[in-house]
Amino acid sequence: MTLVTYIAPDFTAPAVLENGEVTENFNFWSYIKDKPCVLFFWPMDFTFVCPSELIAFHERIEAFKNRNTKLVGVSLDSHFVHKQWRNTPIEKGGIGKVSYPLVADIKREIQKGYGIEHPEAGVALRASFLIDENRVIRHQVVNDLPLGRNVDEMLRMIDALAFHQTHGEVCPAQWEAGKSGMQASSDGVAKYLSEHFSDLKRSSTKL
């Protein structure tokens, strides 16, 4: 199920804030206000792929701030477990003092509301949602449990959305910040392909 083009569901739940404080009533819409946001889910604390993802998000927090984009994470663990995981050193399997809220979805209502609950395990899949300043979901990606995310790809999507909103052009395949966009018309397609066909060619010897 995709929620792209729909309003992001609101929720209120306990959370550990970016400063380490605990709140019983973290409200999503109030927190993001009129800013873009990346809302992401992970299955469980103190597991395997999960800490690498949360650390990767934290290590890029300035990149999100530079794009005026909030970051919020959610899993079904309690806020007490979140706090303990946050207080556990990275070299011992913890995540350290991550700089974004960790929401406790104990009743699993949030992951169900976003349609990303694993049908057998009951945990959240590795889902990420890019939400614009009007609370509309513009991008969604969902990975199965063994597959970690590429956080840099989410930054690319934030840049793509900002480019479209600023210039009115669409972003073709392989678009990156600094590259040309495309006018959404037959002439625009023809012009782009005639000038930028090389951008679509495979460039990496690793592929």
Side-chain angles (χ1 to χ4, degrees):
M1 180 180 74
T2 181
L3 293 181
V4 173
T5 74
Y6 290 90
I7 298 293
D10 192 19
F11 56 82
T12 300
V16 180
L17 302 179
E18 52 264 56
N19 61 4
E21 294 182 3
V22 172
T23 177
E24 297 288 339
N25 297 292
F26 175 89
N27 180 257
F28 181 52
W29 280 9
S30 295
Y31 180 77
I32 64 174
K33 296 181 180 177
D34 58 352
K35 290 187 176 182
C37 176
V38 171
L39 175 70
F40 72 96
F41 293 78
W42 70 95
M44 294 182 70
D45 297 357
F46 290 101
T47 52
F48 314 113
V49 176
C50 299
S52 68
E53 293 188 309
L54 272 76
I55 292 167
F57 275 111
H58 170 73
E59 289 298 315
R60 291 158 178 79
I61 193 67
E62 291 304 319
F64 285 97
K65 289 180 178 179
N66 290 340
R67 291 162 172 80
N68 199 34
T69 300
K70 297 270 194 172
L71 190 60
V72 177
V74 183
S75 85
L76 54 70
D77 300 272
S78 75
H79 45 308
F80 302 110
V81 177
H82 284 342
K83 190 171 182 66
Q84 183 60 38
W85 200 28
R86 194 175 179 276
N87 288 335
T88 300
I90 291 174
E91 60 271 19
K92 294 185 177 181
I95 56 174
K97 311 296 185 184
V98 295
S99 302
Y100 49 83
L102 307 177
V103 178
D105 186 18
I106 300 172
K107 297 180 180 179
R108 305 188 309 186
E109 294 174 344
I110 306 171
Q111 65 185 40
K112 289 177 181 177
Y114 278 80
I116 48 84
E117 184 171 88
H118 191 287
E120 297 176 359
V123 298
L125 295 166
R126 300 187 190 283
S128 305
F129 298 85
L130 172 56
I131 301 163
D132 72 14
E133 64 275 11
N134 296 312
R135 301 172 183 166
V136 176
I137 296 173
R138 307 297 294 270
H139 169 68
Q140 170 181 342
V141 60
V142 184
N143 292 359
D144 201 356
L145 303 182
L147 309 175
R149 277 165 279 220
N150 185 328
V151 180
D152 293 332
E153 170 63 8
M154 181 56 75
L155 291 170
R156 188 186 75 88
M157 294 306 298
I158 295 171
D159 290 340
L161 177 58
F163 178 88
H164 168 68
Q165 292 173 327
T166 301
H167 300 283
E169 296 183 333
V170 295
C171 298
Q174 309 304 110
W175 184 91
E176 295 176 346
K179 289 189 175 182
S180 298
M182 177 195 296
Q183 290 290 334
S185 66
S186 297
D187 290 342
V189 173
K191 184 176 187 296
Y192 179 85
L193 293 179
S194 66
E195 296 177 355
H196 300 284
F197 174 73
S198 61
D199 290 347
L200 306 178
K201 293 182 178 180
R202 188 175 69 183
S203 59
S204 175
T205 56
K206 295 180 181 180
L207 299 179

